[in-house]
Amino acid sequence: MKVISKLFLFSTLILFAACATKDSKSNKEEDIPIEQIELEILKTAYPGVDFTLSYDENVSDWVLSVTSYGKTTLLYRTGGKYLTEQQRTNPDHYRKVFSIYNRKTLDPETMTEEQIEKIRNFGSTKNRTTGAVASTAIFTAIYDSETRKSTESHLKTISFLDCGSVVHERIVPVLQRIEEKILLAAQTDSEVQSFLDNLESAGSYSWRAIRDNDARSFHSFAIAIDILPDDWEDTIIYWNFEKTGGNEDWMLIPLKDRWMPPAKVIEIFEDEGFIWGGRWAVWDNMHFEYHPEIIGVEKYKKYFE
């Protein structure tokens, strides 16, 4: 394994770029390898974890070393999927770790027939059972979550928005900041206050796989939270509830008819590194996942387009 001999010094590069012309800045940034950008995003997203990158000439692939909780895991980059050696034998089964997150909710009123059919197929039982799944090996390493026992050794029970929630200890400070911001917003925003007044639960940890496929749910890492209002069973809140209830046109349900947290609450979560399930084509409006590495892509969006 040949360790990278030259790593880009991002602080120096950014300082130089800021003083350069627009054209020279563009040219300079385009010289940055995508592997190095991903490494820098990970270091920023997870400051308590040690990441190093090396190149394995024997398999012609980059290898990411992840050291967390005193344990080191080696993962093959394999096109941005960061897989174990065993997973690397079937890379098409997994999606990339990094992706562009769109902070705008997809509106059915603006969707084309082609988009509608694509979403319908994506949400089909066949695709849900045979399609590519999230690559979670890197999160297993970051959160020391190889087994249920190791995962549960890092769980903390906290009060979040006046609801009891069991979460991974790494995200406790993040949730505390989110709670402070939401409570502050509620002082001047009646919609946020109403959201708090009608909140039933904010559940996180559940050791399970994602419905219909073999991928681990991010609830099993205790880094996903489902926020439910008091009357959630009488609301339109999750695409699959509607589909299994017989509505094959679930993707066409108007945004105004779907329950969702206030825009300010969603913004606060996103600014703190969470992504919201309501942004997905297969929308899950109660669901938030902690993915600062995906939020971190926003700074380098053009490299991931």
Side-chain angles (χ1 to χ4, degrees), residues 78 81 83-95 130-133 135 214:
T78 315
K81 299 179 180 182
L83 306 175
T84 64
E85 187 172 7
Q86 180 179 359
Q87 290 173 333
R88 193 170 178 269
T89 62
N90 186 22
D92 291 342
H93 185 58
Y94 304 93
R95 297 194 293 267
T130 64
V133 301
S135 179
D214 63 349

Side-chain angles (χ1 to χ4, degrees), residues 6 21 60 62 66 68 155 168 194 211 223 229 247 258 263-264 273 289:
K6 293 182 180 180
T21 64
S60 300
W62 293 93
V66 184
S68 182
L155 299 184
H168 195 283
S194 178
R211 182 191 302 272
I223 61 170
N247 186 353
R258 307 176 193 177
K264 184 61 179 177
E289 285 180 11

Side-chain angles (χ1 to χ4, degrees), residues 257-273:
D257 292 337
R258 307 176 193 177
W259 178 88
M260 58 185 70
K264 184 61 179 177
V265 171
I266 297 167
E267 177 188 341
I268 290 170
F269 267 96
E270 291 175 332
D271 287 347
E272 288 292 343

Side-chain angles (χ1 to χ4, degrees), residues 141-197:
I142 290 170
Y143 295 104
D144 187 26
S145 297
E146 181 67 32
T147 65
R148 182 169 186 167
K149 182 178 180 180
S150 62
T151 301
E152 294 182 349
S153 71
H154 300 295
L155 299 184
K156 299 293 182 183
T157 300
I158 66 170
S159 175
F160 178 64
L161 302 178
D162 207 25
C163 297
S165 192
V166 179
V167 302
H168 195 283
E169 61 189 357
R170 282 201 185 278
I171 72 168
V172 171
V174 183
L175 291 174
Q176 289 173 337
R177 292 196 300 271
I178 289 172
E179 182 176 62
E180 290 175 3
K181 291 181 178 181
I182 291 176
L183 293 178
L184 181 61
Q187 295 178 15
T188 56
D189 190 324
S190 60
E191 186 181 11
V192 175
Q193 185 60 59
S194 178
F195 162 77
L196 293 175
D197 292 341

